[in-house]
Amino acid sequence: MNNNLTLKNFEENGYFADQELVDIVNASLYLNKPILIEGPAGTGKTFLAKTLSKIFKTQLIRLQCHEGIDEDKALYEWNYKKQLLSIQTEKDSKNLFTEEFLIERPILQSLRSEKKSIFLVDEIDRSDEEFEALLLEVLAENQVSIPELGTITSKNNNLTVLTSNATRELSEALRRRCLYFYLDYPSVDIETKVILNNIENIDEEKAKKFSIFSNFVRSLGLNKPPSLIESVEWVKYNHSNGEESLNSNIGILIKDIEDQKIYIEKIKEDNANKNQ
């Protein structure tokens, strides 16, 4: 994979970022190390991996993590029904732990892919530390050990992207094996570009006004600050319906009753200050 990506490469594929993010991706490609992208939900972490697959015109293999995920869902499992059927139908004894009975899961799919791929380990913080331990060999050596088959090493230098919403602290062992980038909510300039890219017939001045307001809302210390996607949806609806007031349809942007109360109190406070 080309390790000289530029902001233009990302923007041509609808992803708007700071140069620092481009630099960490380039470093990952050069050093052949995974990237751990951490930050609030809805800041574009998963979309980054999807964008990289577009840039390189290669397959995206996604492992969605969740509580209780184990190697059967992430690495591989044996087709027990097929094994049982083979035992019942075959007269001679047969090795039941061969490729014929193997079911590949995302980790193994990535390692055995014939072409270079983007391997996305999405929301790693939703898994537990035991699952993190399963990943360590893959992250450090691009290989995995399967008792029945031996060590399987990647055929290609795939790019691995891990995302975390920081709902729990990840192990030091996992962090050491990755490059790290904290992806925060976008700046006003970047969010303005995203709005312009996703909404038809909106001018830059209006897009920036909405972006400034979204950033203001996120600064209020809300329990659930609006994500970039929610911000775009809010702007798209208001713009398409000719709504000029920033207070219109706030439920698209703020989806928690306590957060809405915080917002309303802030607006009242600001109006009171203006009237003094």
Side-chain angles (χ1 to χ4, degrees), residues 44-50 53 58-66 69 73-75 104-111 117-124 126 131 135 159-163 165 229:
K45 300 184 293 297
T46 300
F47 190 49
L48 171 64
K50 293 179 179 179
S53 72
T58 191
Q59 181 184 17
L60 174 68
I61 299 174
R62 180 176 181 175
L63 173 60
Q64 177 62 55
C65 297
H66 55 80
I69 189 172
K73 302 299 182 187
L75 181 53
E104 292 184 349
R105 297 305 185 195
I107 293 175
L108 197 56
Q109 289 172 8
S110 173
L111 291 174
S117 63
I118 306 297
F119 179 41
L120 169 62
V121 183
D122 213 7
E123 297 184 314
I124 180 63
R126 295 183 64 184
F131 181 72
L135 283 175
L159 174 58
T160 299
V161 178
L162 298 89
T163 73
N165 294 334
I229 293 174

Side-chain angles (χ1 to χ4, degrees), residues 83-101:
Q83 288 174 324
L84 182 59
L85 182 62
S86 178
I87 292 173
Q88 293 172 341
T89 57
E90 295 285 342
K91 294 181 180 180
D92 300 324
S93 60
K94 185 176 183 180
N95 184 359
L96 300 177
F97 297 99
T98 62
E99 294 283 344
E100 179 184 353
F101 303 101

Side-chain angles (χ1 to χ4, degrees), residues 256-269:
D256 179 89
I257 185 60
E258 295 303 322
D259 287 344
Q260 288 190 359
K261 290 178 181 178
I262 292 172
Y263 167 74
I264 292 170
E265 286 301 316
K266 179 62 177 176
I267 296 302
K268 289 181 179 178
E269 180 185 328

Side-chain angles (χ1 to χ4, degrees), residues 25 27 33 61 70 75 98 105 111 126 144 149 233 235:
V25 172
K33 294 195 68 171
I61 299 174
D70 57 19
L75 181 53
T98 62
R105 297 305 185 195
L111 291 174
R126 295 183 64 184
V144 69
L149 299 178
E233 290 174 342
V235 176

